[in-house]
Amino acid sequence: AQTVTQSQPEMSVQEAETVTLSCTYDTSESDYYLFWYKQPPSRQMILVIRQEAYKQQNATENRFSVNFQKAAKSFSLKISDSQLGDAAMYFCAYRTINSGNTPLVFGKGTRLSVIA
Amino acid sequence: GAVVSQHPSRVICKSGTSVKIECRSLDFQATTMFWYRQFPKQSLMLMATSNEGSKATYEQGVEKDKFLINHASLTLSTLTVTSAHPEDSSFYICSALVGLSGEYFGPGTRLTVT
């Protein structure tokens, strides 16, 4: 079974600075999806970024980018120019491609604080 | 983007009563929806996979007779907590699957059982 590990329970960053959240995963599959979700205090889960494993190019979405290292099974999230609104729980997640409707496998999350 | 709604957002019920939570995909059809439970400061815990027109698949340890799931249409799944007890108090989140690369979440329902 696949597992997702987020080794940093809490992180903090100064406003306008850059922070990197770590995520590693374990799988024997060669093709899959990886995601980062944000859960602000409202608790609404928001998709931040997704990466298809067969694509070597790292995904980017505005200030958010990932460093996808397939061989190392690492999928870190970089937030540039951090803003107060980035403060939230961040969850890394994995989905297999091999079967149609399998659920996401989530990490335990990293709580990000942004200091003004 | 795809929008998923949940109703109610908050509910308080008395111990022993049942409460129904609705999850709707507003602008798309979803063959598969998921139900999660989230305890404070923890990750999402999958309860069950809800497939339109068929029985839900429950995760190990989740009582199917207590957490009844119905997915009668491509836009609606419901979770009924039967004979609720204080230990069922939690935050319940649904999501809808769009292909393999898109899972969209509802805003959640906070259930308090007194």
Side-chain angles (χ1 to χ4, degrees):
Chain A
Q2 295 86 15
T3 59
V4 175
T5 302
Q6 293 178 250
S7 58
Q8 306 153 314
E10 295 184 356
M11 292 279 286
S12 62
V13 62
Q14 293 278 349
E15 199 175 5
E17 297 295 309
T18 296
V19 65
T20 299
L21 307 185
S22 300
C23 173
T24 58
Y25 58 94
D26 188 28
T27 184
S28 59
E29 299 174 333
S30 60
D31 206 6
Y32 44 86
Y33 285 102
L34 294 165
F35 305 84
W36 277 98
Y37 281 90
K38 170 185 178 181
Q39 189 179 41
S42 68
R43 302 188 79 170
Q44 169 75 62
M45 293 284 285
I46 301 165
L47 176 64
V48 175
I49 202 165
R50 83 179 117 225
Q51 174 82 42
E52 297 167 75
Y54 70 88
K55 289 186 176 179
Q56 294 186 344
Q57 187 173 7
N58 290 323
T60 63
E61 287 287 343
N62 300 313
R63 297 182 295 107
F64 298 87
S65 62
V66 297
N67 183 2
F68 174 48
Q69 301 289 327
K70 190 173 183 179
K73 297 179 183 174
S74 170
F75 183 62
S76 61
L77 175 70
K78 185 172 83 170
I79 306 174
S80 304
D81 186 26
S82 297
Q83 300 175 0
L84 294 177
D86 295 333
M89 279 290 286
Y90 287 82
F91 293 101
C92 179
Y94 171 105
R95 168 170 280 124
T96 182
I97 256 178
N98 291 334
S99 44
N101 56 0
T102 52
L104 290 167
V105 178
F106 283 98
K108 291 189 174 181
T110 296
R111 180 171 300 280
L112 178 66
S113 301
V114 180
I115 303 164
Chain B
V3 179
V4 176
S5 70
Q6 264 184 259
H7 178 80
S9 57
R10 289 174 180 263
V11 59
I12 301 172
C13 70
K14 292 187 177 179
S15 188
T17 62
S18 296
V19 61
K20 180 186 286 188
I21 302 170
E22 293 186 347
C23 177
R24 293 181 186 273
S25 56
L26 296 186
D27 49 1
F28 65 100
Q29 293 183 329
T31 305
T32 300
M33 291 183 174
F34 300 103
W35 286 96
Y36 298 87
R37 184 172 179 176
Q38 188 179 32
F39 293 102
K41 298 186 179 181
Q42 293 189 22
S43 188
L44 280 68
M45 182 184 74
L46 180 69
M47 298 176 67
T49 300
S50 170
N51 293 303
E52 187 268 338
S54 64
K55 290 184 178 180
T57 303
Y58 291 82
E59 294 300 299
Q60 192 171 11
V62 178
E63 299 176 61
K64 64 174 100 174
D65 293 331
K66 180 168 191 61
F67 298 99
L68 300 179
I69 290 171
N70 184 286
H71 194 157
S73 79
L74 287 170
T75 59
L76 174 65
S77 177
T78 60
L79 167 68
T80 301
V81 183
T82 63
S83 185
H85 290 285
E87 57 265 30
D88 299 323
S89 299
S90 192
F91 193 69
Y92 293 88
I93 303 174
C94 74
S95 68
L97 191 60
V98 179
L100 288 174
S101 63
E103 182 165 340
Y104 298 92
F105 289 81
T109 296
R110 180 176 300 283
L111 169 64
T112 303
V113 184
T114 60

